[in-house]
Amino acid sequence: MEEAYIPGDFNVEEEFKPEPLVPQGTYHGHVTAVSYDPDQNAVVWQITLNENGGVKSDGETPIDGSILYYRNFLPREGDENELTRDGRMTKRQAKINMLRRFCDAMGVDMSTPARIAEAIRNTEWVGLHVDVQVGIREYEGQVTNEIRRMTAVSFMGKEK
């Protein structure tokens, strides 16, 4: 058997560093992209944080320039027949209600699939200034940041 040659020099145990996280809190940012994810049936908002100052959990990586994502999960076929975990309403109704609250907070029109597709195609929402509530989430042993809430902010210069 031939011995494998692996180029490079590294030591995973010595060099491993957890990804730096944005501390929990409210931050300013702007929408830098919006897309549709057909696998999750979700609208995906890319938010770039700016004008915050401060550093991430590693004590050195700047918060500004960090990119985080927010998802609006849209109703799927069959959601009208399935209840939410707490059993209070159907998944369809819960998704519609969350979408309505999001639209009110953001001042955007996401009233129909056609309207959402048109806005994404025309990049209507790119550039919006937002405040985001950032939290920390653990999933399958991986700790990451998540946007828990997002609201539109009007800027005139640097004033809200």
Side-chain angles (χ1 to χ4, degrees):
M1 179 148 79
E2 189 176 322
E3 189 173 319
Y5 171 72
I6 301 172
D9 182 24
F10 59 87
N11 184 312
V12 173
E13 293 304 314
E14 291 175 7
E15 296 180 51
F16 173 80
K17 288 186 198 177
E19 290 80 6
L21 298 174
V22 175
Q24 292 189 103
T26 301
Y27 296 92
H28 305 294
H30 59 278
V31 177
T32 48
V34 182
S35 60
Y36 173 69
D37 177 349
D39 293 335
Q40 292 189 328
N41 196 37
V43 177
V44 181
W45 299 73
Q46 178 181 291
I47 308 303
T48 302
L49 301 182
N50 65 332
E51 298 183 5
N52 296 289
V55 292
K56 294 184 180 183
S57 60
D58 63 358
E60 59 186 52
T61 305
I63 290 171
D64 290 336
S66 298
I67 296 174
L68 300 174
Y69 297 91
Y70 185 85
R71 285 174 170 68
N72 299 114
F73 293 96
L74 306 176
R76 291 182 184 270
E77 194 173 311
D79 278 351
E80 64 277 2
N81 301 320
E82 219 175 308
L83 292 177
T84 56
R85 269 188 274 177
D86 62 12
R88 291 176 41 197
M89 64 180 70
T90 65
K91 285 187 172 184
R92 178 184 179 85
Q93 190 63 58
K95 289 175 182 179
I96 293 287
N97 290 359
M98 286 186 286
L99 197 57
R100 171 64 187 272
R101 286 191 289 272
F102 178 83
C103 290
D104 290 347
M106 288 292 294
V108 296
D109 178 4
M110 299 176 79
S111 54
T112 65
R115 179 66 197 112
I116 293 168
E118 177 186 24
I120 291 171
R121 192 172 41 254
N122 295 334
T123 65
E124 288 177 29
W125 301 323
V126 172
L128 291 176
H129 291 271
V130 295
D131 279 345
V132 293
Q133 288 178 1
V134 175
I136 296 174
R137 162 181 190 236
E138 184 176 344
Y139 180 71
E140 296 183 352
Q142 182 72 24
V143 180
T144 59
N145 281 125
E146 69 176 351
I147 295 176
R148 295 189 174 147
R149 182 165 163 71
M150 185 164 78
T151 56
V153 176
S154 298
F155 278 92
M156 300 187 107
K158 285 197 172 198
E159 294 181 25
K160 289 193 229 178

